[in-house]
């Protein structure tokens, strides 16, 4: 098998980021997902164009790759992202079971131009009651019924 | 203004979770987003039905709320989720600028039935080079050009 051309794929991610700014379409971010040396998905940041705060480049590329490959499991895939993923995107990358990440800019570079996910990292490290975003438990006994139902169901699709 | 009925909304989130299991549609999770006492979005976990690893109940509800309200900013909204959000969903809740979270089951309850996001929390706390998921910087000088372009562009939409 040919050695994957990491720089080639990263340049495409960077190009997506640049085009997004030039077209006034959104933030300077792009991501490419590759499997077996072939691009299976690519996306710029689409938060503004799609009115979707979750449509970061990485999340959008993951969704496209999964539609394309008809799976929610991207094992064997590599993601090339023009910027170090935020906690949301990292979470998405883990849940999608992507193997490897290549990134261009750091989160420090991103903070310097106004995209600061430092606050989210800080919050995640804090116990719930010390977070700025108010979070309260409610009806735990009733909520647990759904979990017990899941455990006792044999027809479930594990994922 | 009437006092919001937190338990009523949480029960709807729990019901979505239960129905998802009963219909063999996916994991036992549901979320409801409320603004000014009205439900603006509700969703069960749709990972399996939509082949989308990012389609947790909270992320799906955020997307629906944003489409409904034609905005990527959910300030003034409260999310009721049948289970404590994972790092991906928490990131999404922060980016969406949701004000308040109510949750039913804890992440410990979730881990006990096989949905364990503990690994993701651990990874987020580690420096990049100590993570299990391989992450490598590539072409930082080229990537930075997109950021500089963003800084020097006057027509950009901040978000």
């Amino acid at each position: 098998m040919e050695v994957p051309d990491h720089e080639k794929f990263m340049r495409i991610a960077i190009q997506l980021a640049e085009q997004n700014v030039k077209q006034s379409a959104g933030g300077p971010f792009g991501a490419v997902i590759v499997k077996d040396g072939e691009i299976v998905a690519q996306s710029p940041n689409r938060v503004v164009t799609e009115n979707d705060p979750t449509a970061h480049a990485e999340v959008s590329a993951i969704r496209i790759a999964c539609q394309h490959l008809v799976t929610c499991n991207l094992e064997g895939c590599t993601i090339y992202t023009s910027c170090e993923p935020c906690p949301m995107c990292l979470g998405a990358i883990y849940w999608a079971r992507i193997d490897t990440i290549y990134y261009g800019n750091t989160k420090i570079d991103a903070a310097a131009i106004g995209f600061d996910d430092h606050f989210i990292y800080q919050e995640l490290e804090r116990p719930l009651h010390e977070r700025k975003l108010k979070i309260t438990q409610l009806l735990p006994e009733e909520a647990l019924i759904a979990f017990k139902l899941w455990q006792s169901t044999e027809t479930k699709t594990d994922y």
Side-chain angles (χ1 to χ4, degrees), chain A residues 23-133:
Chain A
Q23 296 168 357
S24 301
F29 305 97
V32 171
I33 295 176
V34 172
K35 186 171 188 179
D36 299 331
E38 300 287 336
I39 294 176
V40 292
Q42 57 182 58
S43 181
N45 177 295
R46 296 186 195 273
V47 170
V48 174
T49 46
E50 297 196 355
N51 275 325
D52 180 353
T54 74
H56 286 194
E58 299 93 322
V59 166
S60 297
I62 287 171
R63 284 183 204 150
I64 294 167
C66 289
Q67 294 312 303
H68 180 67
L69 300 171
V70 196
T71 176
C72 55
N73 184 331
L74 298 179
E75 272 177 276
C77 291
T78 298
I79 190 163
Y80 299 82
T81 170
S82 68
C83 185
E84 195 181 332
C86 79
M88 173 182 74
C89 292
L90 264 178
I93 290 166
Y94 283 111
W95 290 123
R97 307 186 195 288
I98 288 176
D99 289 342
T100 313
I101 305 171
Y102 289 90
Y103 69 97
N105 292 304
T106 66
K107 58 183 177 185
I108 296 163
D109 298 326
I113 63 158
F115 295 95
D116 195 357
D117 51 17
H118 184 62
F119 171 70
I120 302 180
Y121 276 100
Q122 278 186 317
E123 287 271 288
L124 286 172
E125 285 172 15
R126 288 192 184 115
L128 298 192
H129 64 278
E130 288 178 17
R131 290 189 188 159
K132 290 193 181 164
L133 201 161

